[in-house]
Amino acid sequence: MSSTELPASPTAASAATRVHAVRVAEGERLRCVELPGLTLNVRFRPSGATGRAPALYVHGLGGSSRNWSALMPLLEDVLDGEAVDLPGFGDSPPPDDGNYSVTGHARAVIRLLDAESRGPVHLIGNSLGGSVATRVAAVRPDLVRTLTLVSPALPELRAQRTALPTGLLAVPGVARMFAHLTRDWTPEQRVRGVLALCYGDPGRVTDEGLRVAVEEMERRLKLPYFWDAMARSARGIVDAYTLGGQHNLWRQAERVLAPTLLVYGGRDRLVSYRMAHKAAATFRDARLLTLPDAGHVAMMEYPEAVARAVRELVADRGGDGRGDGARS
């Protein structure tokens, strides 16, 4: 989901200050992966089942691994899923090098997969996580069995007007100004604004879902690096949109070898619905799921529909489960 910025990037030591624990849904657990210069929080669902293929879920700008809590249990019989908090989001502290570019986030995902020897995985990303997953699949095809992209943040020539405020976060000083102007907003006001932007129909969010989201917003606002991670990651998306040559995201999409599922929402205010057919024509082995009533986070709004499509992709193209990826 979306949010905003503040001052310069603090050191990892000061940034790692814990506020209160992140919320864990029923059946989930969290673990911490320590890598040189990088600490990643990973959410998973323990199971004694064998023969499941490994999967990794990557969230979008301002989101966290919890964005996948509705989808993961619907696929846990076939996928040994893990959801990562990208550096500076969820319960992962900022990276020591302060690199929040799409390449920096992709490098974090690659390092996680390499460190745990879980690849090739069914890689599933949303928004920023979709651009990160695209880059990973292009540069490290050995790590990706199938690719699922939910409203991926791929360059658009004409961005929707409703997406412009998020893009403005990348402009130096804008996020700081926004943080000052909205200092009196309550966590609930902020959450309702995010829901209006990200959901096709915010009314689908339950009272319990709203309460949990407000609680998480309260937690995030206390983190000393929250706004900085938002602004730098937004800047990373804008920079990725302007790259040419082999690093251009559309060029990298053309290089993806993995069978790809594309999911687009008809009410998406951040990634244009009209990009669905361009994406389907660009990825060489693609299938397309369009959900007319969904917004930017279809895996949270319509998890059953997304799960069915992922399940079909896994069965058709990548159904060779791998029992050594399962945990108990």
Side-chain angles (χ1 to χ4, degrees):
M1 292 190 195
S2 255
S3 299
T4 354
E5 150 188 9
L6 243 165
S9 182
T11 64
S14 62
T17 304
R18 291 288 183 263
V19 184
H20 63 71
V22 297
R23 162 92 46 170
V24 180
E26 184 178 354
E28 293 180 345
R29 290 185 187 173
L30 303 177
R31 62 188 181 87
C32 188
V33 178
E34 299 280 353
L35 300 168
L38 186 67
T39 300
L40 296 173
N41 180 64
V42 176
R43 184 180 301 263
F44 65 100
R45 299 180 65 83
S47 171
T50 59
R52 300 181 302 155
L56 185 68
Y57 300 83
V58 187
H59 65 79
L61 180 64
S64 75
S65 58
R66 185 167 173 80
N67 288 27
W68 302 102
S69 290
L71 182 64
M72 288 174 67
L74 300 179
L75 292 167
E76 64 181 342
D77 61 315
V78 293
L79 296 182
D80 177 25
E82 293 187 341
V84 63
D85 285 330
L86 290 173
F89 295 96
D91 210 30
S92 292
D96 282 2
D97 62 5
N99 188 345
Y100 289 102
S101 67
V102 170
T103 297
H105 286 311
R107 188 176 298 124
V109 169
I110 290 170
R111 290 182 63 193
L112 174 65
L113 292 173
D114 278 342
E116 304 205 319
S117 300
R118 276 177 57 82
V121 299
H122 296 281
L123 187 59
I124 303 170
N126 167 237
S127 191
L128 165 63
S131 59
V132 169
T134 298
R135 185 148 290 174
V136 171
V139 303
R140 287 292 304 273
D142 59 304
L143 292 178
V144 182
R145 185 172 302 185
T146 67
L147 181 65
T148 296
L149 305 175
V150 182
S151 295
L154 299 173
E156 299 184 40
L157 290 177
R158 292 183 294 112
Q160 298 183 102
R161 283 181 294 178
T162 46
L164 293 179
T166 300
L168 285 174
L169 292 180
V171 179
V174 169
R176 183 192 296 269
M177 179 180 67
F178 181 82
H180 176 74
L181 293 174
T182 63
R183 64 188 182 279
D184 294 329
W185 288 14
T186 66
E188 181 172 343
Q189 286 175 312
R190 294 179 187 274
V191 167
R192 289 189 181 278
V194 170
L195 295 178
L197 185 63
C198 292
Y199 274 68
D201 177 11
R204 292 180 62 87
V205 180
T206 65
D207 290 343
E208 171 65 10
L210 177 63
R211 187 184 66 78
V212 169
V214 170
E215 179 184 287
E216 173 62 11
M217 180 63 73
E218 291 172 342
R219 188 190 74 84
R220 293 182 185 187
L221 290 170
K222 294 176 183 177
L223 295 171
Y225 54 82
F226 169 66
W227 297 105
D228 188 53
M230 277 296 308
R232 291 171 185 257
S233 291
R235 198 168 302 144
I237 295 175
V238 172
D239 289 345
Y241 276 28
T242 62
L243 285 176
Q246 63 178 345
H247 298 295
N248 176 270
L249 282 169
W250 285 114
R251 290 284 298 276
Q252 292 195 319
E254 293 174 346
R255 292 165 48 193
V256 171
L257 300 176
T260 301
L261 168 65
L262 301 161
V263 182
Y264 281 82
R267 295 183 179 180
D268 195 331
R269 297 174 180 84
L270 294 171
V271 170
S272 175
Y273 188 65
R274 67 175 179 266
M275 300 304 294
H277 293 290
K278 175 178 173 61
T282 301
F283 287 89
R284 65 177 68 188
D285 186 1
R287 57 180 68 185
L288 177 62
L289 171 65
T290 57
L291 299 171
D293 294 326
H296 192 60
V297 287
M299 73 287 185
M300 301 172 71
E301 298 175 84
Y302 296 94
E304 293 84 3
V306 175
R308 282 194 298 272
V310 173
R311 187 179 293 274
E312 290 173 3
L313 177 69
V314 171
D316 292 350
R317 312 291 184 88
D320 53 322
R322 214 179 66 168
D324 59 348
R327 276 178 306 276
S328 57

